[in-house]
Amino acid sequence: MTDLLLLPGDGIGPEVTAQVRRVANRLANDLTIDERPFGGTSFDQLGTPLADETLAQAKAARAVLMGAVGGPQWANAPRDKRPEAGLLGLRTGMGVFANLRPAICFQPLAGASSLKRELIEGLDFMIVRELTGGVYFGQPRFIEDLPGGGQRAVDTQVYTTMEIERIARVAFELARGRRNKVHSAEKSNVMETGLLWRRVVTDLHKREYADVELEHILADNAAMQIVKNPKQFDVMVTDNLFGDILSDAAAQLTGSLGMLPSAALGAPGTPGLYEPIHGSAPDIAGKGIANPLAAILSFEMALRWSLDRADLADKLYAAVGAALEKGARTPDLGGALTTLQMADAVLAEL
């Protein structure tokens, strides 16, 4: 069995993933690591963004870590052949439904946010995003011509009790190990799926998690509160669309998207999918200046959640913090270190 499957992907993905391999070789050289093409790179080489062999290997690994997918060169590819289709197919094929996106501010970076230091210093909350349902996957979806001219587009937002309950359970369990508070974000005031979401979360809380503090919040208010007072949050659970938007807003609070990892988890005993949230950043691809810390911290999450090495995860997290404390900065953080040099700074602390 492969312990860690790397899917470098496109843009800066291969650059930051290469630094993950260096860190893994130093920190846990007993891990077996393999690599496969993915996304646009896979489309160019194999004619598909997600080859059957790649998906099979991902499902057989203990953890999968991807770099990023997408780029303007694939903008005109058929929708089912675009890099993003490969990512959706990978998530669905692996059965990962719970996306964990931490918004953490390392102390040395408290001044890097666009918000005031006092709002950001000590920030540590987790957004739990439902990943395989909702409007991104709902049917029917189509664009049709109208008789009188023009067109009509339809996307369908769909959720079932099972889908809502399993993601809410992840959030409640996480909160029990943190500060014991969950905010559930939806739009129950205008959406039927939001109304069902609130009912299911409320019922599960009453049955199994009454010891955890639960607060319901409308998703638009959640967006405002994330900017106004982000430290009020511990764990926030929400659907696929709102989670996509709110987690990016929360991520930017910390000063740079280049700092933040994510995990996508499925049923116990199945492999997790880990990835930096920064995307492929084609504007800086190939320049060697991308921040590798989000990818390295994604590996930290893999060590903790899939590889049963919390001890090594703690060491890696501390090493990243120590490197930042000593002034290591890539351009996105206001510094001048290259991708390689930033990884060197972390390796020096290990």
Side-chain angles (χ1 to χ4, degrees):
M1 175 185 290
T2 299
D3 291 314
L4 181 66
L5 176 64
L6 299 178
L7 304 176
D10 312 318
I12 63 172
E15 300 171 50
V16 297
T17 307
Q19 306 314 312
V20 171
R21 185 185 281 272
R22 293 178 66 212
V23 169
N25 288 338
R26 172 74 63 86
L27 185 65
N29 61 12
D30 58 326
L31 293 178
T32 57
I33 302 176
D34 204 351
E35 187 172 305
R36 292 280 304 180
F38 182 58
T41 303
S42 177
F43 175 73
D44 290 344
Q45 294 181 14
L46 306 172
T48 175
L50 176 63
D52 292 342
E53 296 83 356
T54 301
L55 178 57
Q57 194 166 349
K59 293 168 70 174
R62 295 178 65 198
V64 179
L65 192 147
M66 57 169 283
V69 295
Q73 60 268 53
W74 300 290
N76 295 321
R79 182 176 294 276
D80 64 341
K81 299 296 184 182
R82 292 178 188 173
E84 296 79 7
L87 176 56
L88 293 178
L90 181 66
R91 289 170 176 169
T92 302
M94 291 181 65
V96 290
F97 62 84
N99 188 207
L100 276 54
R101 291 198 172 191
I104 299 172
C105 181
F106 285 86
Q107 181 64 27
L109 300 181
S113 173
S114 55
L115 297 188
K116 296 177 181 178
R117 175 183 286 267
E118 58 265 28
L119 295 178
I120 295 302
E121 203 162 22
L123 179 69
D124 179 5
F125 82 95
M126 180 78 76
I127 292 182
V128 180
R129 168 191 171 192
E130 200 289 321
L131 202 56
T132 59
V135 73
Y136 291 172
F137 294 93
Q139 296 292 337
R141 57 184 299 161
F142 57 84
I143 299 175
E144 65 179 1
D145 295 326
L146 295 176
Q151 294 183 309
R152 183 173 74 114
V154 173
D155 292 290
T156 303
Q157 167 84 344
V158 178
Y159 271 108
T160 65
T161 299
M162 180 276 292
E163 290 173 313
I164 300 168
E165 189 169 286
R166 69 179 181 179
I167 193 69
R169 183 170 279 109
V170 171
F172 285 127
E173 292 289 345
L174 273 174
R176 278 179 171 169
R178 292 170 54 92
R179 301 192 301 278
N180 216 42
K181 184 173 184 178
V182 170
H183 282 79
S184 176
E186 27 70 5
K187 285 289 288 180
S188 56
N189 57 336
V190 293
M191 297 174 66
E192 298 303 318
T193 49
L195 186 60
L196 179 64
W197 187 285
R198 181 172 292 215
R199 288 174 179 170
V200 172
V201 171
T202 299
D203 182 58
L204 177 65
H205 175 255
K206 184 182 299 184
R207 292 195 330 262
E208 300 181 29
Y209 297 99
D211 57 301
V212 180
E213 183 180 355
L214 171 64
E215 185 172 326
H216 298 283
I217 186 170
L218 296 178
D220 50 343
N221 184 33
M224 182 181 73
Q225 294 298 328
I226 283 173
V227 178
K228 180 181 179 181
N229 180 22
K231 287 192 284 188
Q232 68 181 287
F233 298 116
D234 178 23
V235 175
M236 180 184 293
V237 61
T238 189
D239 75 6
N240 206 342
L241 175 61
F242 295 141
D244 196 357
I245 297 167
L246 294 174
S247 59
D248 275 10
Q252 190 57 43
L253 299 180
T254 66
S256 172
L257 291 176
M259 286 299 303
L260 295 176
S262 74
L265 307 178
T270 61
L273 173 63
Y274 301 85
E275 59 177 304
I277 71 169
H278 50 55
S280 62
D283 55 320
I284 62 170
K287 297 181 179 180
I289 59 173
N291 188 344
L293 292 186
I296 289 171
L297 289 169
S298 294
F299 176 56
E300 182 265 345
M301 294 186 80
L303 288 168
R304 193 176 302 280
W305 293 96
S306 290
L307 299 174
D308 300 320
R309 295 305 304 270
D311 56 332
L312 297 184
D314 290 341
K315 288 181 180 180
L316 182 52
Y317 191 87
V320 169
L324 292 170
E325 189 68 43
K326 292 180 179 179
R329 303 284 191 277
T330 39
D332 59 302
L333 299 175
L337 292 188
T338 65
T339 306
L340 182 67
Q341 289 169 336
M342 180 61 98
D344 285 343
V346 175
L347 288 168
E349 299 302 326
L350 290 173

